Amino acid sequence: MAESPTSHRPSLTHSERPDMSPTGFSEYPLDLVHRLIEPGPVIMVCTFDGERANLMTNGFNMPIAHGALIGLILGPWDHSYDALRATGECVIAIPSIDLAEQVTDVGNISGRDVDKWAKFGFTPTPAAVVRAPLVQECFANIECTVADDRLVDDYNLWILRGERAWFDAGKRGAGEFHHRGNGTFSGNADTLDLRNRMTKWQYLTRDQ
Ligand SMILES: Cc1cc2nc3c(=O)[nH]c(=O)nc-3n(C[C@H](O)[C@H](O)[C@H](O)COP(=O)(O)O)c2cc1C
């Protein structure tokens, strides 16, 4: 199979990572980014097509490895697909359950037709290393580049690499929420602290 230009795209080099924090966020360690994704949150994917930034809602996502390698299903039925193809960049924004209604609305209309930022009250804020913006209202934002697009044609599966990640504990509220696949959603039930049973994986239980 012929390799497309973004197959195995290398990570951004250090010189491409300016030392600048987006307003209102603290930097989140890249080696812990899987903790933001492993709970299976509904996320928003932000893209920038060279003219306009856009948002879409995504429920099909997963961590690929400990750290910041993330699998994302995003198909050509979405306007966002063309921007992701063209730029090889996006931001994954993780909303708290307080934003569930607006986030669902973002997934039911296309950026082809409307400015979803203005319509649903989300604020784009500049990212550090990608052109797609962060979502100011979300508690976590992960700036991503496409690491591997070889499964996109067959499965719409993008392998993304987090380049920088940002976290605002004050916006986490009741936490992330999860799509049950049919327009119903669940929040986080009481958290079970089973760290004392993680004997084989003790190194994963360290605090940030
Ligand atoms: C809860 C929810 C989950 C969704 N999950 C996905 C997904 O995983 N992948 C996808 O391609 N589209 C998904 N969608 C659909 C897109 O968000 C939707 O097609 C959106 O209008 C695309 O926006 P755009 O055309 O501006 O890119 C989901 C929609 C909702 C409401």
Side-chain angles (χ1 to χ4, degrees):
M1 185 169 69
E3 293 222 344
S4 57
T6 50
S7 294
H8 293 302
R9 186 185 284 246
S11 185
L12 295 179
T13 62
H14 186 72
S15 61
E16 292 171 309
R17 298 164 178 242
D19 188 19
M20 163 212 135
S21 296
T23 315
F25 292 97
S26 309
E27 184 143 22
Y28 192 82
L30 283 180
D31 67 326
L32 299 183
V33 156
H34 62 92
R35 289 188 186 174
L36 299 172
I37 293 294
E38 195 161 343
V42 172
I43 61 177
M44 290 195 288
V45 180
C46 313
T47 48
F48 180 69
D49 65 6
E51 287 182 17
R52 287 197 309 144
N54 189 27
L55 285 168
M56 62 85 69
T57 302
N58 176 287
F60 282 15
N61 53 71
M62 64 172 177
I64 301 279
H66 290 127
L69 215 51
I70 297 161
L72 180 82
I73 301 292
L74 198 157
W77 53 88
D78 299 320
H79 182 56
S80 308
Y81 180 93
D82 296 331
L84 188 54
R85 267 276 191 226
T87 63
E89 295 179 351
C90 65
V91 168
I92 287 181
I94 308 183
S96 73
I97 194 167
D98 318 70
L99 298 170
E101 290 180 359
Q102 299 94 304
V103 171
T104 302
D105 291 346
V106 164
N108 280 276
I109 194 166
S110 179
R112 276 186 206 97
D113 311 318
V114 73
D115 175 353
K116 289 191 247 185
W117 302 87
K119 187 169 177 67
F120 300 116
F122 291 114
T123 313
T125 195
V129 295
V130 302
R131 281 158 296 172
L134 317 186
V135 182
Q136 189 71 48
E137 290 75 12
C138 288
F139 71 83
N141 283 273
I142 308 166
E143 301 183 31
C144 296
T145 54
V146 174
D148 192 334
D149 66 0
R150 287 176 298 174
L151 294 173
V152 172
D153 285 346
D154 286 345
Y155 301 108
N156 303 308
L157 173 56
W158 303 80
I159 311 297
L160 303 178
R161 179 184 291 110
E163 304 284 356
R164 298 291 283 266
W166 307 101
F167 195 78
D168 182 344
K171 293 175 191 149
R172 192 160 203 179
E176 63 274 6
F177 62 102
H178 317 276
H179 187 209
R180 301 175 67 87
N182 62 353
T184 67
F185 298 85
S186 56
N188 289 333
D190 291 342
T191 305
L192 284 181
D193 186 349
L194 300 179
R195 280 178 288 191
N196 61 345
R197 305 178 77 90
M198 293 287 279
T199 50
K200 186 176 171 185
W201 303 103
Q202 214 165 11
Y203 73 94
L204 293 179
T205 65
R206 72 175 164 87
D207 287 332
Q208 184 180 322

